[in-house]
């Protein structure tokens, strides 16, 4: 019984893997990078069947361009060939390339459309590159520094010599006054007991 299903299962696997979608990288790693900008748009038209376009620049894959989308590429200035191909059930359909001259000061716009059953690239226009946005200047806050006040040195104070006899009389008088005040409080507390 298993031998009867082997051939149909193998055939079905081959058919399903052949119809699977094959993805490409966008943009390719070996694609050149430069200062000129190219914008390619896949226009929606009534005659377009919706097959995605695989964009090539000078014969190198630049990425996939689905219907209604656009891709911006940075290339070195000079002449380039913008072309592409579409994968169909029959195979690969190559779209004739368009020669484009690029410069660093303008954005070149190219459109891909299928008109009268003929796929073609066309140059739609150029626009100047917008100037880069200016970054606001960051100013450092000014921290006021306190200026140290200059204090003139004080003149040495002249003191009169003190007499030792006057100091002794003051200290004895203060001790006698503290003793006389302590004595009456003790006598009051003793009288109560």
């Amino acid at each position: 019984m298993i031998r009867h299903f082997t051939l149909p299962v193998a055939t079905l696997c081959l058919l399903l893997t052949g119809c699977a979608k094959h993805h490409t990288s966008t943009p390719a790693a070996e694609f050149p990078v430069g200062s000129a900008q190219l914008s390619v748009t896949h226009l929606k038209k009534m005659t377009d069947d919706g097959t995605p376009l695989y964009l090539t620049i000078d014969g190198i894959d630049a990425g996939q361009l689905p219907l209604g989308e656009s891709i911006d590429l940075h290339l070195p200035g000079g002449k380039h060939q913008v072309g592409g191909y579409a994968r169909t059930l029959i195979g690969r359909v190559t779209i004739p390339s368009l020669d484009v001259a690029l410069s660093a000061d303008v954005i070149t716009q190219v459109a891909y459309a299928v008109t009268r059953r003929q796929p073609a690239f066309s140059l739609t226009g150029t626009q100047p590159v917008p100037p880069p946005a200016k970054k606001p200047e960051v100013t450092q806050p000014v921290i006021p520094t306190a200026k140290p006040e200059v204090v003139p040195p004080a003149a040495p104070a002249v003191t009169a010599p003190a007499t030792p006899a006057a100091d002794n009389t003051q200290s004895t008088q203060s001790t006698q006054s503290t003793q006389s005040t302590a004595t009456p409080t003790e006598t009051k507390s003793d009288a109560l007991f």
Side-chain angles (χ1 to χ4, degrees), residues 3-136:
R3 287 187 278 167
H4 296 290
F5 291 114
T6 307
L7 183 60
V9 169
T11 306
L12 182 63
C13 289
L14 287 173
L15 285 175
L16 290 176
T17 58
C19 296
K21 292 184 178 182
H22 302 284
H23 297 284
T24 61
S25 61
T26 306
E30 66 270 0
F31 192 70
V33 177
S35 61
Q37 188 173 350
L38 175 70
S39 178
V40 182
T41 305
H42 188 167
L43 298 176
K44 291 182 182 180
K45 296 285 185 173
M46 295 296 289
T47 55
D48 198 341
D49 64 351
T51 304
L53 169 71
Y54 293 91
L55 186 66
T56 61
I57 305 294
D58 298 328
I60 301 171
D61 283 347
Q64 183 179 359
L65 188 60
L67 181 65
E69 293 187 19
S70 63
I71 187 170
D72 292 328
L73 303 169
H74 293 277
L75 303 169
K79 287 197 169 200
H80 297 280
Q81 288 186 343
V82 179
Y85 60 91
R87 292 184 179 163
T88 62
L89 292 175
I90 300 169
R92 182 173 153 167
V93 176
T94 304
I95 294 107
S97 62
L98 173 70
D99 290 330
V100 177
L102 301 177
S103 65
D105 57 342
V106 294
I107 300 172
T108 306
Q109 298 171 341
V110 175
Y112 168 77
V114 179
T115 56
R116 296 186 192 161
R117 299 225 176 246
Q118 293 296 318
F121 287 98
S122 61
L123 184 64
T124 57
T126 58
Q127 68 183 35
V129 175
K134 292 183 179 179
K135 293 182 181 179

Side-chain angles (χ1 to χ4, degrees), residues 129-183:
V129 175
K134 292 183 179 179
K135 293 182 181 179
E137 291 183 18
V138 178
T139 58
Q140 297 291 336
V142 178
I143 301 172
T145 57
K147 294 181 181 178
E149 293 182 22
V150 179
V151 179
V158 179
T159 57
T163 58
D167 289 336
N168 286 340
T169 57
Q170 288 178 355
S171 63
T172 55
Q173 288 175 358
S174 64
T175 51
Q176 287 176 359
S177 64
T178 54
Q179 288 176 355
S180 65
T181 56
T183 310

